[in-house]
Amino acid sequence: MSSTKDLLIKNVRPVDHREEAGATADIRINNGIITEIATGLTPGRNEQVYDASGAYVSPGWMDMHVHLREPGFEHKETVATGCDAAAAGGFTAVACMPNTNPPIHTRDVVNFILKQAAGLPVDVHPVGCVSKNRKGTSITEMADMVEGGAVAFSDDGDPVQDSRLMRTALEYSAMLGVPTINHEEDLPLSRPGHMHEGRVSTRLGLAGTPSIAEEIMIARDVLLAELTGGHVHVAHISTEKAVSLVREAKSRGIKITTEACPHHFDLTDEEIERTDFDTNWKMHPPLRTDSDVEAIIDGLADGTIDAVCTDHAPHSVDEKEVEFIYAPNGIIGLETAWSVICRKLLHSGRMKLPEVIAKLTLHPRSILNIPVPTVAVGEQANITIFDTDGEWLYDTDAVRSRSRNTPYLGRTMSGRPLAVYNNGQFVETGR
């Protein structure tokens, strides 16, 4: 990482959500502002040069669903280490979930998060709790947190189980102009599930979480959003019918958006059997079936699913290296997201590059009412440089997160973020 306010990027192809990549060009950044985009630019005095050699450049990517663990769980991750991982994954902005200790349920915790993130090359946007202490009983002081910098509300890690509380949250958040993000899970139906309920869980003798536990809660939230006019955002969607429910609600004009994680459009519950109960395959919502994976890819391609996020969920080694039923849910995902996106969405031909870029730039920020950066002369430089087919090994040396809980460790990946520039800082992530 370097604090480089003056930078010349050579031989890069600009692309955004509106159109395919253009011709190779050079981009000059002076004091954090894009001052020239042209061909054949020569370096100025004391200007750092980065030769992108035909790679792409887009507006900086955003992950709207990560767990930075600070305050309270710094042995898993901190704001600083999480942002290191984000930059390595090509992200210049993240929205952090509130299941910390204390939770992000008051303005002072929002302020603490923002203070920890000050000066980093990754913008951090706190998501405040819906309920005090995430207990699901009483509403937080939402307006105060929005004034302090919160961009949305969620009790993520747990759902807002109480329908009256969810109605109130949607009414309040509608007045504040922010979404309510719900972890869609009907707890009495889902607990104590340790994986997807289906043929594999039956063979393995593990208690499963049925798809309907997610779908019933989404159906409830669709009706509450229709009643209140509030904006409900479905977190980490994972089932075929859930995608259909969101698609139908959107067709009726209900204010609903959703996101999907790379692991949910790449991996299935069969991996748990294949890997002999490896806890790095345990996550929540759980890995589901091939038909669910296909439905999520279809939802991304047709616009039903608005954004790609990672649900980056760090856990320490001693927490994960236990029996499967005792291990916490979640994997890290910031550093591997782009490679999975390339393989499953781009290389497969299911989506085009501008469509994918929209899922990482335009839509997450639009959902959270955050200005969308552009790669244009006169604009603040907030960019991601990347390729779509370069191979690299995701080994322990490549991990920037404080934790290592990922099923992708040791794999050769294809497609890699190469560098990011934001807040006057240039971070090279690798070639």
Side-chain angles (χ1 to χ4, degrees):
M1 182 184 303
S2 61
S3 295
T4 305
K5 293 189 176 182
D6 294 332
L7 177 70
L8 179 62
I9 303 167
K10 299 285 292 182
N11 307 312
V12 71
R13 299 180 65 194
V15 63
D16 62 18
H17 64 275
R18 295 166 295 191
E19 56 188 3
E20 292 284 357
T24 298
D26 303 337
I27 299 175
R28 192 187 306 279
I29 300 170
N30 294 132
N31 200 30
I33 303 296
I34 298 173
T35 56
E36 286 185 273
I37 301 177
T39 58
L41 296 180
T42 57
R45 186 178 181 182
N46 299 323
E47 193 171 64
Q48 182 176 342
V49 178
Y50 179 78
D51 190 347
S53 297
Y56 300 96
V57 63
S58 75
W61 302 343
M62 180 174 191
D63 187 339
M64 66 177 295
H65 190 137
V66 305
H67 299 269
L68 298 182
R69 302 303 191 200
E70 188 179 14
F73 304 108
E74 289 84 356
H75 64 288
K76 302 172 188 268
E77 196 78 284
T78 65
V79 172
T81 61
C83 286
D84 280 348
F91 296 96
T92 63
V94 298
C96 59
M97 294 294 119
N99 51 339
T100 52
N101 185 26
I104 309 176
H105 65 163
T106 55
R107 183 170 180 167
D108 62 320
V109 186
V110 173
N111 291 340
F112 171 80
I113 299 289
L114 294 175
K115 183 178 179 180
Q116 296 299 98
L120 297 177
V122 176
D123 302 321
V124 177
H125 301 279
V127 174
C129 294
V130 168
S131 65
K132 295 177 181 177
N133 286 302
R134 294 180 54 252
K135 297 295 185 182
T137 54
S138 58
I139 206 80
T140 55
E141 295 180 1
M142 287 180 156
D144 195 39
M145 282 193 281
V146 167
E147 288 181 6
V151 295
F153 294 97
S154 179
D155 278 353
D156 187 63
D158 289 305
V160 180
Q161 185 73 35
D162 186 282
S163 297
R164 180 181 291 274
L165 184 68
M166 186 62 178
R167 174 182 178 174
T168 302
L170 284 168
E171 290 171 338
Y172 281 22
S173 61
M175 290 187 288
L176 295 168
V178 298
T180 296
I181 303 170
N182 201 14
H183 174 122
E184 307 288 357
E185 178 186 9
D186 186 283
L187 293 176
L189 274 173
S190 67
R191 299 291 168 85
H194 301 292
M195 64 176 294
H196 171 66
E197 180 183 283
R199 289 176 297 177
V200 178
S201 68
T202 300
R203 286 199 299 266
L204 296 179
L206 284 176
T209 294
S211 298
I212 199 169
E214 178 173 325
E215 296 150 4
I216 281 179
M217 191 65 87
I218 291 175
R220 181 206 72 172
D221 286 351
V222 165
L223 294 172
L224 288 174
E226 185 176 37
L227 173 70
T228 62
H231 177 180
V232 64
H233 180 80
V234 174
H236 39 52
I237 198 166
S238 73
T239 81
E240 182 176 6
K241 188 170 287 186
V243 176
S244 295
L245 286 167
V246 172
R247 183 180 291 117
E248 192 270 340
K250 284 189 169 188
S251 73
R252 291 164 49 203
I254 294 171
K255 193 175 288 187
I256 185 169
T257 53
T258 189
E259 64 192 28
C261 305
H263 50 268
H264 284 133
F265 56 83
D266 183 31
L267 309 173
T268 71
D269 58 345
E270 293 181 359
E271 300 288 353
I272 296 171
E273 184 174 32
R274 183 185 64 79
T275 60
D276 195 24
F277 301 97
D278 186 337
T279 60
N280 286 322
W281 303 87
K282 185 180 182 184
M283 54 206 71
H284 205 56
L287 299 177
R288 300 203 186 267
T289 68
D290 284 322
S291 63
D292 296 308
V293 167
E294 285 303 307
I296 290 172
I297 293 174
D298 286 343
L300 285 162
D302 70 18
T304 299
I305 300 173
D306 303 271
V308 174
C309 69
T310 66
D311 194 15
H312 177 81
H315 293 292
S316 63
V317 172
D318 61 324
E319 291 170 316
K320 275 289 194 179
E321 288 191 351
V322 294
E323 292 182 45
F324 197 87
I325 62 172
Y326 299 119
N329 294 300
I331 63 171
I332 59 173
L334 284 163
E335 297 152 345
T336 55
W338 178 245
S339 292
V340 177
I341 289 168
C342 287
R343 176 166 49 84
K344 297 296 291 189
L345 303 181
L346 289 177
H347 299 166
S348 65
R350 300 293 289 272
M351 295 180 68
K352 296 180 179 179
L353 184 56
E355 296 172 326
V356 169
I357 293 300
K359 308 290 184 185
L360 295 170
T361 58
L362 174 66
H363 297 317
R365 289 183 173 93
S366 297
I367 290 167
L368 298 175
N369 302 302
I370 296 167
V372 182
T374 57
V375 183
V377 173
E379 296 293 326
Q380 193 82 30
N382 183 337
I383 61 174
T384 300
I385 303 170
F386 61 95
D387 66 33
T388 58
D389 52 15
E391 290 194 349
W392 58 285
L393 177 64
Y394 187 53
D395 57 12
T396 54
D397 289 338
V399 178
R400 294 293 176 266
S401 170
R402 179 162 283 185
S403 296
R404 299 290 185 271
N405 53 306
T406 168
Y408 295 106
L409 197 64
R411 292 196 184 191
T412 298
M413 314 296 282
S414 180
R416 188 173 193 180
L418 303 175
V420 297
Y421 187 104
N422 187 36
N423 296 330
Q425 297 180 62
F426 180 60
V427 183
E428 294 188 51
T429 60
R431 294 303 302 254

